[in-house]
Amino acid sequence: MSSEKKMIKQRVMSGTRTTGALHLGHYLGWLVNCLKLQNDYECFFGVMDWHGMTSAYKSAHEIKKWNRDIFAEMVAWGLDPEKNTLFIQSMVPEHIELFMIFSNLTPLGWLERVPTWKDAEEEAKANDTHNLGRFAYPVLQAADIAIYQGGLVPVGQDQISHLELTREIIRRFNKLYQGQLPEPKALLTETPAFPGLDGRKMSKSYGNSILLDEEEKSLKKKINSMVTDPQRATRENPGNPDVCNVYTYHKLFSSEADQSWAAQGCRSAGIGCGDCKAKLCENIGQMLKKPREIKKDLLNNPTRLDSIIEAGCEKARQEARKNITLVKEWMKL
Ligand code: TRP
Ligand code: SF4
């Protein structure tokens, strides 16, 4: 029994920034991992709207709509609101309280070195997001994790530096106040950077994404717009699937049988790019269909969605209140 007692299961904590609708990049880089983890861990998954606001503050009037959209999406894809704690960040004020505490023990130098800040400063100046909120972004993220005593954090590769900073902040906190916050570890997904329709990283701002609730018609249009192997100028020219983004997608979303059908057909000019794309469209379409319907139902039934959101946020607040109280005790505030 004592050994069992020692094996206290770590908690999982993660979230996604509110920036409008989720796309396939979010699915492969984040959601897939969360869906797996919910079976084995106690999980807290948040819609991080304060983080969204650091760059989308001019669209503040849209945030509420985006929050609901993302929340419904998460539920539609299978994150279970009964099994997990699903919440919206701004509805749990303790995040901000802990953020303020952490702000004091985070030297500016630590933040200046974070690549998501340092490497995007010029861009940020150009689009009016060279602001304090965005600079402090990783401090808020640290507070998100610590307010639930999160131990495992499923995130994409681009978040590694934020997790490192989180650990440093928490270590500093624990040392200063004899606290016992866990130092969280990042859990990376297998697909590191998922290419968008044009081969660059999939991102809303590049306009190269397939949304998680993409309708059949626009899905077809988007996939048909993908560039294929330029060697295949005509149907008769054999091609090389390894240089073709359509085939990269097949490897991620199609069965093994369809993958070899595409690869062989491409190399032997047995199939045309149109056939190849049609098959991909069918496979992705199949995957999106059910969640899209569930999501639509949820959005069409606002009372039901509101009650799921409210119940999740209440569960989150209870846990967050417990931990902010602990934090203040450690600090002898
Ligand atoms: N920064 C994360 C992203 O852009 C989102 C996020 C906010 C987050 N708070 C978090 C992720 C806490 C994990 C844990 O993807
Ligand atoms: Fe790409 Fe398929 Fe055309 Fe080959 S057949 S070039 S893999 S779209």
Side-chain angles (χ1 to χ4, degrees), residues 232-259:
R232 295 208 71 181
T234 74
R235 169 77 172 69
E236 279 65 45
N237 298 113
N240 176 7
D242 296 326
V243 302
C244 178
N245 206 19
V246 175
Y247 185 60
T248 307
Y249 276 41
H250 269 301
K251 284 192 283 189
L252 293 166
F253 302 111
S254 297
S255 66
E256 299 231 339
D258 284 353
Q259 287 175 39

mmCIF file of all heavy atoms in Angstrom, residues 232-259:
data_model
loop_
_atom_site.group_PDB
_atom_site.id
_atom_site.type_symbol
_atom_site.label_atom_id
_atom_site.label_comp_id
_atom_site.label_asym_id
_atom_site.label_seq_id
_atom_site.Cartn_x
_atom_site.Cartn_y
_atom_site.Cartn_z
ATOM 1 N N ARG A 232 4.670 16.021 -62.532
ATOM 2 C CA ARG A 232 3.459 15.439 -63.118
ATOM 3 C C ARG A 232 2.675 16.500 -63.884
ATOM 4 O O ARG A 232 1.544 16.838 -63.541
ATOM 5 C CB ARG A 232 2.567 14.822 -62.040
ATOM 6 C CG ARG A 232 3.182 13.645 -61.333
ATOM 7 C CD ARG A 232 2.130 12.694 -60.828
ATOM 8 N NE ARG A 232 1.489 11.970 -61.928
ATOM 9 C CZ ARG A 232 0.511 11.080 -61.777
ATOM 10 N NH1 ARG A 232 0.028 10.829 -60.568
ATOM 11 N NH2 ARG A 232 -0.008 10.453 -62.811
ATOM 12 N N ALA A 233 3.292 17.002 -64.928
ATOM 13 C CA ALA A 233 2.638 18.047 -65.715
ATOM 14 C C ALA A 233 1.356 17.511 -66.344
ATOM 15 O O ALA A 233 0.365 18.230 -66.466
ATOM 16 C CB ALA A 233 3.586 18.571 -66.784
ATOM 17 N N THR A 234 1.362 16.264 -66.754
ATOM 18 C CA THR A 234 0.143 15.649 -67.273
ATOM 19 C C THR A 234 -0.107 14.336 -66.545
ATOM 20 O O THR A 234 0.754 13.829 -65.828
ATOM 21 C CB THR A 234 0.243 15.334 -68.783
ATOM 22 O OG1 THR A 234 1.107 14.201 -68.954
ATOM 23 C CG2 THR A 234 0.781 16.514 -69.581
ATOM 24 N N ARG A 235 -1.273 13.802 -66.769
ATOM 25 C CA ARG A 235 -1.712 12.553 -66.170
ATOM 26 C C ARG A 235 -0.752 11.400 -66.500
ATOM 27 O O ARG A 235 -0.584 10.474 -65.715
ATOM 28 C CB ARG A 235 -3.128 12.264 -66.691
ATOM 29 C CG ARG A 235 -3.713 10.911 -66.434
ATOM 30 C CD ARG A 235 -4.189 10.831 -64.993
ATOM 31 N NE ARG A 235 -4.941 9.601 -64.749
ATOM 32 C CZ ARG A 235 -4.422 8.378 -64.744
ATOM 33 N NH1 ARG A 235 -3.156 8.203 -64.983
ATOM 34 N NH2 ARG A 235 -5.190 7.340 -64.500
ATOM 35 N N GLU A 236 -0.088 11.494 -67.648
ATOM 36 C CA GLU A 236 0.796 10.405 -68.107
ATOM 37 C C GLU A 236 2.178 10.442 -67.443
ATOM 38 O O GLU A 236 2.892 9.450 -67.451
ATOM 39 C CB GLU A 236 0.966 10.437 -69.639
ATOM 40 C CG GLU A 236 -0.179 9.798 -70.420
ATOM 41 C CD GLU A 236 -1.495 10.556 -70.245
ATOM 42 O OE1 GLU A 236 -1.463 11.816 -70.330
ATOM 43 O OE2 GLU A 236 -2.537 9.916 -69.995
ATOM 44 N N ASN A 237 2.568 11.571 -66.870
ATOM 45 C CA ASN A 237 3.893 11.660 -66.240
ATOM 46 C C ASN A 237 3.886 11.011 -64.872
ATOM 47 O O ASN A 237 3.074 11.370 -64.035
ATOM 48 C CB ASN A 237 4.325 13.120 -66.059
ATOM 49 C CG ASN A 237 4.451 13.859 -67.361
ATOM 50 O OD1 ASN A 237 3.687 14.786 -67.651
ATOM 51 N ND2 ASN A 237 5.391 13.438 -68.174
ATOM 52 N N PRO A 238 4.788 10.048 -64.641
ATOM 53 C CA PRO A 238 4.888 9.501 -63.283
ATOM 54 C C PRO A 238 5.422 10.574 -62.328
ATOM 55 O O PRO A 238 6.108 11.506 -62.758
ATOM 56 C CB PRO A 238 5.879 8.340 -63.426
ATOM 57 C CG PRO A 238 6.531 8.471 -64.741
ATOM 58 C CD PRO A 238 5.749 9.443 -65.576
ATOM 59 N N GLY A 239 5.121 10.433 -61.046
ATOM 60 C CA GLY A 239 5.559 11.443 -60.086
ATOM 61 C C GLY A 239 6.258 10.816 -58.890
ATOM 62 O O GLY A 239 6.446 9.598 -58.815
ATOM 63 N N ASN A 240 6.667 11.671 -57.978
ATOM 64 C CA ASN A 240 7.336 11.210 -56.759
ATOM 65 C C ASN A 240 6.530 11.660 -55.541
ATOM 66 O O ASN A 240 6.549 12.838 -55.181
ATOM 67 C CB ASN A 240 8.752 11.797 -56.716
ATOM 68 C CG ASN A 240 9.473 11.430 -55.434
ATOM 69 O OD1 ASN A 240 8.971 10.623 -54.633
ATOM 70 N ND2 ASN A 240 10.636 12.029 -55.232
ATOM 71 N N PRO A 241 5.831 10.734 -54.909
ATOM 72 C CA PRO A 241 4.976 11.128 -53.779
ATOM 73 C C PRO A 241 5.751 11.771 -52.636
ATOM 74 O O PRO A 241 5.190 12.572 -51.872
ATOM 75 C CB PRO A 241 4.339 9.809 -53.342
ATOM 76 C CG PRO A 241 5.175 8.730 -53.934
ATOM 77 C CD PRO A 241 5.776 9.291 -55.180
ATOM 78 N N ASP A 242 7.054 11.445 -52.541
ATOM 79 C CA ASP A 242 7.819 11.962 -51.407
ATOM 80 C C ASP A 242 8.052 13.468 -51.465
ATOM 81 O O ASP A 242 8.453 14.065 -50.472
ATOM 82 C CB ASP A 242 9.164 11.232 -51.295
ATOM 83 C CG ASP A 242 8.942 9.752 -50.996
ATOM 84 O OD1 ASP A 242 7.974 9.434 -50.284
ATOM 85 O OD2 ASP A 242 9.708 8.916 -51.510
ATOM 86 N N VAL A 243 7.842 14.078 -52.617
ATOM 87 C CA VAL A 243 7.992 15.531 -52.681
ATOM 88 C C VAL A 243 6.630 16.222 -52.728
ATOM 89 O O VAL A 243 6.540 17.422 -52.966
ATOM 90 C CB VAL A 243 8.836 15.979 -53.905
ATOM 91 C CG1 VAL A 243 10.209 15.334 -53.866
ATOM 92 C CG2 VAL A 243 8.117 15.655 -55.219
ATOM 93 N N CYS A 244 5.579 15.454 -52.491
ATOM 94 C CA CYS A 244 4.229 16.003 -52.659
ATOM 95 C C CYS A 244 3.510 16.107 -51.313
ATOM 96 O O CYS A 244 3.414 15.151 -50.551
ATOM 97 C CB CYS A 244 3.436 15.131 -53.610
ATOM 98 S SG CYS A 244 1.746 15.704 -53.824
ATOM 99 N N ASN A 245 2.990 17.289 -51.045
ATOM 100 C CA ASN A 245 2.310 17.557 -49.772
ATOM 101 C C ASN A 245 1.015 16.730 -49.645
ATOM 102 O O ASN A 245 0.608 16.376 -48.543
ATOM 103 C CB ASN A 245 2.002 19.058 -49.687
ATOM 104 C CG ASN A 245 1.895 19.548 -48.255
ATOM 105 O OD1 ASN A 245 2.384 18.892 -47.331
ATOM 106 N ND2 ASN A 245 1.249 20.678 -48.065
ATOM 107 N N VAL A 246 0.400 16.424 -50.777
ATOM 108 C CA VAL A 246 -0.826 15.613 -50.741
ATOM 109 C C VAL A 246 -0.500 14.246 -50.132
ATOM 110 O O VAL A 246 -1.248 13.714 -49.304
ATOM 111 C CB VAL A 246 -1.428 15.443 -52.158
ATOM 112 C CG1 VAL A 246 -2.628 14.495 -52.134
ATOM 113 C CG2 VAL A 246 -1.843 16.793 -52.730
ATOM 114 N N TYR A 247 0.645 13.720 -50.519
ATOM 115 C CA TYR A 247 1.039 12.416 -49.987
ATOM 116 C C TYR A 247 1.390 12.517 -48.487
ATOM 117 O O TYR A 247 1.076 11.617 -47.707
ATOM 118 C CB TYR A 247 2.214 11.842 -50.780
ATOM 119 C CG TYR A 247 2.567 10.434 -50.343
ATOM 120 C CD1 TYR A 247 1.632 9.405 -50.437
ATOM 121 C CD2 TYR A 247 3.814 10.148 -49.797
ATOM 122 C CE1 TYR A 247 1.925 8.123 -50.008
ATOM 123 C CE2 TYR A 247 4.117 8.865 -49.367
ATOM 124 C CZ TYR A 247 3.174 7.859 -49.477
ATOM 125 O OH TYR A 247 3.467 6.597 -49.040
ATOM 126 N N THR A 248 2.020 13.608 -48.091
ATOM 127 C CA THR A 248 2.279 13.838 -46.656
ATOM 128 C C THR A 248 0.968 13.742 -45.881
ATOM 129 O O THR A 248 0.906 13.142 -44.811
ATOM 130 C CB THR A 248 2.892 15.236 -46.425
ATOM 131 O OG1 THR A 248 4.038 15.377 -47.259
ATOM 132 C CG2 THR A 248 3.295 15.441 -44.976
ATOM 133 N N TYR A 249 -0.069 14.324 -46.428
ATOM 134 C CA TYR A 249 -1.390 14.266 -45.783
ATOM 135 C C TYR A 249 -1.930 12.836 -45.760
ATOM 136 O O TYR A 249 -2.508 12.412 -44.770
ATOM 137 C CB TYR A 249 -2.385 15.189 -46.499
ATOM 138 C CG TYR A 249 -2.333 16.632 -46.050
ATOM 139 C CD1 TYR A 249 -1.118 17.266 -45.796
ATOM 140 C CD2 TYR A 249 -3.495 17.361 -45.872
ATOM 141 C CE1 TYR A 249 -1.072 18.578 -45.399
ATOM 142 C CE2 TYR A 249 -3.464 18.688 -45.474
ATOM 143 C CZ TYR A 249 -2.249 19.293 -45.238
ATOM 144 O OH TYR A 249 -2.211 20.598 -44.839
ATOM 145 N N HIS A 250 -1.733 12.121 -46.893
ATOM 146 C CA HIS A 250 -2.176 10.714 -46.909
ATOM 147 C C HIS A 250 -1.531 9.939 -45.758
ATOM 148 O O HIS A 250 -2.170 9.131 -45.092
ATOM 149 C CB HIS A 250 -1.798 10.042 -48.236
ATOM 150 C CG HIS A 250 -2.875 10.140 -49.283
ATOM 151 N ND1 HIS A 250 -4.135 9.639 -49.102
ATOM 152 C CD2 HIS A 250 -2.863 10.688 -50.534
ATOM 153 C CE1 HIS A 250 -4.861 9.873 -50.190
ATOM 154 N NE2 HIS A 250 -4.114 10.518 -51.074
ATOM 155 N N LYS A 251 -0.238 10.218 -45.547
ATOM 156 C CA LYS A 251 0.476 9.486 -44.489
ATOM 157 C C LYS A 251 -0.107 9.783 -43.109
ATOM 158 O O LYS A 251 -0.015 8.985 -42.194
ATOM 159 C CB LYS A 251 1.977 9.811 -44.525
ATOM 160 C CG LYS A 251 2.678 9.082 -45.681
ATOM 161 C CD LYS A 251 4.188 9.140 -45.560
ATOM 162 C CE LYS A 251 4.682 10.502 -45.969
ATOM 163 N NZ LYS A 251 6.139 10.586 -46.088
ATOM 164 N N LEU A 252 -0.718 10.950 -42.969
ATOM 165 C CA LEU A 252 -1.274 11.325 -41.663
ATOM 166 C C LEU A 252 -2.738 10.923 -41.508
ATOM 167 O O LEU A 252 -3.195 10.654 -40.407
ATOM 168 C CB LEU A 252 -1.146 12.837 -41.459
ATOM 169 C CG LEU A 252 0.287 13.343 -41.317
ATOM 170 C CD1 LEU A 252 0.341 14.857 -41.459
ATOM 171 C CD2 LEU A 252 0.871 12.924 -39.968
ATOM 172 N N PHE A 253 -3.474 10.887 -42.610
ATOM 173 C CA PHE A 253 -4.928 10.734 -42.474
ATOM 174 C C PHE A 253 -5.518 9.536 -43.211
ATOM 175 O O PHE A 253 -6.721 9.308 -43.135
ATOM 176 C CB PHE A 253 -5.636 12.009 -42.941
ATOM 177 C CG PHE A 253 -5.209 13.235 -42.192
ATOM 178 C CD1 PHE A 253 -4.457 14.229 -42.810
ATOM 179 C CD2 PHE A 253 -5.536 13.391 -40.848
ATOM 180 C CE1 PHE A 253 -4.049 15.356 -42.108
ATOM 181 C CE2 PHE A 253 -5.136 14.512 -40.145
ATOM 182 C CZ PHE A 253 -4.382 15.493 -40.771
ATOM 183 N N SER A 254 -4.710 8.787 -43.968
ATOM 184 C CA SER A 254 -5.267 7.678 -44.739
ATOM 185 C C SER A 254 -4.783 6.342 -44.205
ATOM 186 O O SER A 254 -3.754 6.264 -43.533
ATOM 187 C CB SER A 254 -4.871 7.807 -46.218
ATOM 188 O OG SER A 254 -5.415 8.981 -46.774
ATOM 189 N N SER A 255 -5.528 5.292 -44.541
ATOM 190 C CA SER A 255 -5.139 3.939 -44.138
ATOM 191 C C SER A 255 -3.859 3.543 -44.893
ATOM 192 O O SER A 255 -3.506 4.153 -45.903
ATOM 193 C CB SER A 255 -6.254 2.966 -44.500
ATOM 194 O OG SER A 255 -6.391 2.903 -45.913
ATOM 195 N N GLU A 256 -3.189 2.502 -44.398
ATOM 196 C CA GLU A 256 -1.970 2.022 -45.066
ATOM 197 C C GLU A 256 -2.284 1.628 -46.498
ATOM 198 O O GLU A 256 -1.499 1.866 -47.411
ATOM 199 C CB GLU A 256 -1.411 0.818 -44.311
ATOM 200 C CG GLU A 256 -1.044 1.170 -42.880
ATOM 201 C CD GLU A 256 0.372 0.744 -42.526
ATOM 202 O OE1 GLU A 256 0.900 -0.153 -43.220
ATOM 203 O OE2 GLU A 256 0.921 1.322 -41.586
ATOM 204 N N ALA A 257 -3.430 0.999 -46.683
ATOM 205 C CA ALA A 257 -3.806 0.556 -48.028
ATOM 206 C C ALA A 257 -3.924 1.756 -48.973
ATOM 207 O O ALA A 257 -3.390 1.724 -50.090
ATOM 208 C CB ALA A 257 -5.128 -0.206 -47.972
ATOM 209 N N ASP A 258 -4.565 2.802 -48.512
ATOM 210 C CA ASP A 258 -4.705 3.994 -49.358
ATOM 211 C C ASP A 258 -3.361 4.678 -49.584
ATOM 212 O O ASP A 258 -3.111 5.239 -50.647
ATOM 213 C CB ASP A 258 -5.688 4.985 -48.716
ATOM 214 C CG ASP A 258 -7.132 4.543 -48.886
ATOM 215 O OD1 ASP A 258 -7.364 3.548 -49.617
ATOM 216 O OD2 ASP A 258 -8.031 5.160 -48.280
ATOM 217 N N GLN A 259 -2.505 4.608 -48.580
ATOM 218 C CA GLN A 259 -1.174 5.208 -48.749
ATOM 219 C C GLN A 259 -0.400 4.504 -49.851
ATOM 220 O O GLN A 259 0.212 5.149 -50.695
ATOM 221 C CB GLN A 259 -0.376 5.111 -47.449
ATOM 222 C CG GLN A 259 -0.849 6.048 -46.365
ATOM 223 C CD GLN A 259 -0.103 5.832 -45.058
ATOM 224 O OE1 GLN A 259 1.098 5.600 -45.053
ATOM 225 N NE2 GLN A 259 -0.816 5.888 -43.958
#
